[in-house]
Amino acid sequence: MADQLTSPTTDSPTAGPVALPDPAAPGDKRVVVAAPRGYCAGVDRAVITVEKVLDRYGPPVYVRKQIVHNKHVVENLSARGAIFVEELDEVPEGSTVVFSAHGVSPAVRHQATDRELKTIDATCPLVTKVHNEARRFAREDREILLIGHAGHEEVEGTSGEAPEHITLVQSPEEADHVQVKDPTKVSWLSQTTLSVDETMETVRRLKQRFPLLQDPPSDDICYATSNRQAAVKQIAAHSDLVIVVGSANSSNSVRLVEVALEAGAKASHRVDNAGEIDLAWLEGVSSVGVTSGASVPDDLVQGVLDLLVEHGFPMAQEERLTEENLVFALPPELRKDLKNA
């Protein structure tokens, strides 16, 4: 994937640094904000893609599904002229359509061709990697156990790459009962936004039953998902409450709540923004941890930190686990049009 990399971009208006003044804690209260958090490279690429398409071609621009799973991002892009549709038959023939970061199946690509749509593919390159692995395993006539959640767009896209070879496994418990045709020719893949610990437990159980289970060349769970889960573990153990900013349909945001609780947080809740915080959660709480999912602009995190200050908590201290410098180039079809503009 080396040709996907480019220098860091700074032109996304939806992302920005959280202000972290020097802490001046009243009493013994403490607020810690996790890092890394928020936008990952794939989300940043997808959002900028829609923004650039709107700038280049003008509205309306159609987007199949939510470009990323965050309602505030979708609302902001809608206000600029993006039209989000569930399926391509809602898109007028000959129009421009952007595929979301979660990827699509070959059937969707064929439908776009049949309808003479100009397509711009904002699929995260890490999801594309999983699609490539699915096709390779299928060519080798291997059965693929896909660890993921039924109905998730990413799972639907990956399953569509090799439907006759893929069986979905949704939990460690399902791993104990899944059946395969030939235990000597079976491989596993996973959705990129799952709980790292739960996925590894699922793989462990699968390998107990199928010792010849073949791993993918590298972990399918994306670096951003892994980093955000590790970062929230770091703050959860000393937090009475962990607030996760992210939308309800964001798999990686929902997982952060689960990971925080498993790592020792006394309570954890997901909110789309500060307005969804129940002030009763703050009663009797002295230490609060804050983080956000990979599709969340940081101004929403700042809103949560501001609310905490308004209710007697100190300015936040950041606990950084690692730096993230990965950036993906824009889709090649868009880069070409921008170059020729």
XYZ file of all heavy atoms in Angstrom, residues 112-155:
351
model
N -23.282 0.409 -10.685
C -22.857 1.767 -11.034
C -22.498 1.859 -12.516
O -22.851 2.836 -13.202
C -21.673 2.181 -10.173
N -21.818 0.842 -13.017
C -21.473 0.817 -14.444
C -22.728 0.761 -15.304
O -22.845 1.487 -16.306
C -20.563 -0.391 -14.751
O -19.368 -0.280 -13.981
C -20.212 -0.449 -16.231
N -23.677 -0.085 -14.926
C -24.921 -0.223 -15.689
C -25.696 1.093 -15.738
O -26.364 1.391 -16.736
C -25.801 -1.316 -15.082
C -25.204 -2.715 -15.246
O -24.308 -2.869 -16.103
O -25.627 -3.628 -14.515
N -25.603 1.869 -14.670
C -26.349 3.135 -14.602
C -25.502 4.308 -15.112
O -25.912 5.452 -15.006
C -26.809 3.406 -13.162
C -27.851 2.394 -12.665
C -28.313 2.737 -11.252
N -28.886 4.062 -11.166
C -30.114 4.397 -11.542
N -30.912 3.468 -12.066
N -30.559 5.624 -11.402
N -24.330 3.998 -15.652
C -23.443 5.009 -16.229
C -23.123 6.123 -15.222
O -23.110 7.307 -15.556
C -24.047 5.593 -17.511
C -24.237 4.546 -18.600
C -24.788 5.139 -19.878
O -25.296 6.279 -19.843
O -24.704 4.463 -20.921
N -22.844 5.714 -13.997
C -22.499 6.669 -12.949
C -20.995 6.903 -12.939
O -20.214 5.980 -13.169
C -22.940 6.146 -11.579
C -24.433 5.837 -11.417
C -24.704 5.252 -10.032
C -25.280 7.083 -11.635
N -20.601 8.132 -12.674
C -19.195 8.432 -12.451
C -18.916 8.127 -10.989
O -19.506 8.739 -10.092
C -18.894 9.900 -12.745
C -17.446 10.301 -12.429
C -17.190 11.766 -12.734
C -15.789 12.196 -12.309
N -14.719 11.454 -12.972
N -18.048 7.175 -10.727
C -17.808 6.738 -9.352
C -16.464 7.244 -8.844
O -15.475 7.267 -9.577
C -17.837 5.205 -9.245
O -16.824 4.644 -10.069
C -19.194 4.668 -9.657
N -16.456 7.645 -7.594
C -15.237 8.010 -6.886
C -15.206 7.161 -5.623
O -16.117 7.234 -4.797
C -15.197 9.511 -6.571
C -15.149 10.295 -7.895
C -13.998 9.855 -5.693
C -15.225 11.776 -7.745
N -14.179 6.360 -5.517
C -14.135 5.335 -4.474
C -13.349 5.833 -3.266
O -12.124 5.919 -3.295
C -13.490 4.071 -5.042
C -13.601 2.889 -4.092
O -14.139 3.071 -2.979
O -13.148 1.785 -4.467
N -14.075 6.142 -2.177
C -13.437 6.607 -0.939
C -13.237 5.475 0.059
O -13.022 5.725 1.248
C -14.261 7.727 -0.313
N -13.304 4.228 -0.407
C -13.064 3.098 0.485
C -11.707 3.246 1.167
O -10.697 3.519 0.514
C -13.088 1.770 -0.307
O -14.356 1.617 -0.939
C -12.831 0.590 0.616
N -11.680 3.040 2.480
C -10.415 3.090 3.205
C -9.455 2.051 2.623
O -9.848 0.891 2.427
C -10.657 2.815 4.688
S -9.129 2.673 5.645
N -8.216 2.417 2.343
C -7.262 1.443 1.809
C -7.073 0.211 2.700
O -6.738 -0.860 2.197
C -5.967 2.256 1.702
C -6.431 3.656 1.483
C -7.666 3.791 2.331
N -7.300 0.350 4.005
C -7.170 -0.812 4.886
C -8.337 -1.777 4.698
O -8.186 -2.988 4.891
C -7.066 -0.359 6.343
C -5.863 0.548 6.643
C -5.842 0.940 8.117
C -4.551 -0.122 6.249
N -9.505 -1.259 4.328
C -10.632 -2.125 3.975
C -10.365 -2.777 2.624
O -10.631 -3.975 2.432
C -11.944 -1.319 3.950
C -13.103 -2.184 3.445
C -12.272 -0.774 5.342
N -9.824 -2.018 1.688
C -9.463 -2.580 0.384
C -8.491 -3.740 0.551
O -8.564 -4.749 -0.167
C -8.843 -1.490 -0.505
O -9.806 -0.449 -0.707
C -8.424 -2.051 -1.858
N -7.571 -3.614 1.514
C -6.626 -4.704 1.789
C -7.371 -5.988 2.160
O -7.021 -7.079 1.692
C -5.680 -4.301 2.929
C -4.713 -5.401 3.348
C -3.810 -4.940 4.481
C -4.552 -4.860 5.810
N -4.825 -6.219 6.366
N -8.398 -5.874 2.989
C -9.177 -7.053 3.382
C -9.891 -7.635 2.159
O -9.958 -8.863 1.988
C -10.182 -6.690 4.497
C -11.005 -7.916 4.894
C -9.450 -6.134 5.721
N -10.433 -6.771 1.290
C -11.081 -7.255 0.069
C -10.092 -8.048 -0.781
O -10.431 -9.114 -1.316
C -11.619 -6.070 -0.740
C -12.843 -5.441 -0.145
N -13.694 -4.628 -0.864
C -13.360 -5.493 1.105
C -14.677 -4.218 -0.089
N -14.487 -4.722 1.119
N -8.883 -7.528 -0.905
C -7.859 -8.219 -1.698
C -7.540 -9.584 -1.104
O -7.344 -10.573 -1.832
C -6.588 -7.374 -1.773
C -6.780 -6.101 -2.573
O -7.709 -5.998 -3.391
N -5.922 -5.117 -2.342
N -7.474 -9.648 0.230
C -7.192 -10.922 0.901
C -8.332 -11.917 0.665
O -8.086 -13.111 0.453
C -6.979 -10.684 2.389
C -5.677 -9.941 2.699
C -5.635 -9.392 4.120
O -6.669 -9.439 4.819
O -4.565 -8.909 4.532
N -9.573 -11.424 0.699
C -10.719 -12.307 0.465
C -10.665 -12.897 -0.940
O -10.896 -14.102 -1.134
C -12.021 -11.532 0.670
N -10.328 -12.069 -1.918
C -10.250 -12.576 -3.294
C -9.114 -13.597 -3.436
O -9.258 -14.615 -4.114
C -10.065 -11.416 -4.272
C -11.295 -10.530 -4.419
C -11.187 -9.633 -5.646
N -10.081 -8.690 -5.543
C -10.176 -7.488 -4.993
N -11.335 -7.079 -4.482
N -9.134 -6.686 -4.954
N -7.993 -13.321 -2.789
C -6.855 -14.243 -2.889
C -7.191 -15.591 -2.257
O -6.918 -16.653 -2.848
C -5.620 -13.643 -2.214
C -4.401 -14.561 -2.252
C -3.158 -13.866 -1.747
N -3.240 -13.539 -0.338
C -2.935 -14.389 0.640
N -2.566 -15.638 0.359
N -3.014 -14.012 1.908
N -7.769 -15.575 -1.053
C -8.142 -16.827 -0.399
C -9.158 -17.596 -1.243
O -9.106 -18.832 -1.324
C -8.717 -16.556 0.995
C -7.686 -16.189 2.028
C -8.002 -15.313 3.068
C -6.411 -16.716 1.994
C -7.066 -14.970 4.038
C -5.462 -16.388 2.954
C -5.784 -15.513 3.979
N -10.083 -16.855 -1.876
C -11.094 -17.518 -2.714
C -10.442 -18.167 -3.931
O -10.816 -19.283 -4.324
C -12.155 -16.510 -3.142
N -9.456 -17.475 -4.536
C -8.754 -18.065 -5.687
C -8.038 -19.358 -5.295
O -7.888 -20.271 -6.105
C -7.745 -17.067 -6.261
C -8.359 -15.932 -7.046
C -7.315 -15.204 -7.881
N -6.233 -14.656 -7.070
C -6.233 -13.434 -6.543
N -7.294 -12.631 -6.731
N -5.207 -12.993 -5.838
N -7.598 -19.413 -4.041
C -6.925 -20.616 -3.542
C -7.925 -21.674 -3.072
O -7.536 -22.713 -2.537
C -5.994 -20.238 -2.388
C -4.850 -19.315 -2.802
C -4.073 -18.768 -1.616
O -4.487 -19.031 -0.450
O -3.069 -18.067 -1.826
N -9.208 -21.381 -3.296
C -10.301 -22.289 -2.916
C -10.290 -22.591 -1.420
O -10.542 -23.710 -0.985
C -10.240 -23.594 -3.723
C -11.560 -24.365 -3.671
O -12.610 -23.697 -3.504
O -11.547 -25.591 -3.789
N -10.021 -21.558 -0.636
C -10.040 -21.693 0.812
C -11.375 -21.173 1.346
O -11.938 -20.221 0.820
C -8.896 -20.906 1.448
C -7.512 -21.319 0.962
C -6.421 -20.607 1.713
N -6.375 -21.030 3.111
C -5.710 -22.101 3.544
N -5.043 -22.860 2.695
N -5.704 -22.415 4.819
N -11.876 -21.812 2.403
C -13.051 -21.295 3.097
C -12.596 -20.167 4.016
O -11.558 -20.265 4.680
C -13.712 -22.410 3.901
C -15.072 -22.022 4.450
C -15.874 -23.216 4.935
O -15.397 -24.360 4.755
O -16.960 -23.005 5.486
N -13.367 -19.076 4.044
C -12.985 -17.885 4.802
C -13.973 -17.680 5.942
O -15.186 -17.575 5.721
C -12.991 -16.633 3.895
C -12.044 -16.818 2.705
C -12.618 -15.390 4.700
C -12.266 -15.815 1.586
N -13.449 -17.637 7.163
C -14.255 -17.293 8.320
C -14.065 -15.799 8.564
O -12.979 -15.353 8.947
C -13.832 -18.119 9.532
C -13.970 -19.639 9.339
C -13.496 -20.383 10.579
C -15.401 -20.025 8.984
N -15.107 -15.033 8.300
C -15.047 -13.575 8.411
C -15.606 -13.160 9.772
O -16.795 -13.349 10.051
C -15.853 -12.917 7.293
C -15.972 -11.392 7.329
C -14.599 -10.721 7.278
C -16.861 -10.888 6.198
N -14.756 -12.624 10.619
C -15.162 -12.185 11.955
C -15.716 -10.763 11.831
O -15.003 -9.849 11.397
C -13.980 -12.236 12.931
C -13.407 -13.653 12.975
C -14.415 -11.787 14.328
C -12.085 -13.756 13.717
N -16.967 -10.590 12.187
C -17.586 -9.278 12.033
C -19.045 -9.304 12.423
O -19.547 -10.308 12.935
N -19.728 -8.205 12.154
C -21.123 -8.045 12.557
C -22.033 -8.037 11.341
O -21.809 -7.265 10.392
C -21.303 -6.740 13.348
C -20.523 -6.714 14.625
N -19.884 -5.601 15.098
C -20.266 -7.696 15.535
C -19.278 -5.876 16.236
N -19.488 -7.148 16.518
N -23.042 -8.870 11.356
C -23.994 -8.945 10.250
C -24.649 -7.589 10.028
O -25.014 -6.897 10.975
C -25.060 -9.998 10.556
N -24.780 -7.209 8.776
C -25.436 -5.957 8.437
C -24.519 -4.761 8.362
O -24.909 -3.718 7.820
N -23.307 -4.877 8.903
C -22.381 -3.748 8.811
C -21.933 -3.606 7.361
O -21.658 -4.593 6.675
C -21.170 -3.978 9.713
C -20.312 -2.759 9.897
N -19.384 -2.365 8.960
C -20.250 -1.843 10.902
C -18.778 -1.270 9.377
N -19.280 -0.923 10.552
N -21.837 -2.359 6.889
C -21.517 -2.126 5.476
C -20.186 -2.743 5.083
O -20.023 -3.256 3.970
C -21.506 -0.619 5.192
C -22.892 0.011 5.265
C -22.844 1.455 5.706
O -21.981 2.200 5.219
O -23.679 1.838 6.554
N -19.215 -2.691 5.983
C -17.905 -3.259 5.649
C -18.002 -4.768 5.461
O -17.395 -5.328 4.535
C -16.897 -2.924 6.744
C -15.497 -3.389 6.410
C -14.503 -3.138 7.524
O -14.659 -2.140 8.261
O -13.560 -3.939 7.653
N -18.755 -5.426 6.309
C -18.930 -6.877 6.202
C -19.657 -7.225 4.911
O -19.301 -8.188 4.218
C -19.693 -7.417 7.432
C -20.188 -8.835 7.193
C -18.791 -7.378 8.659
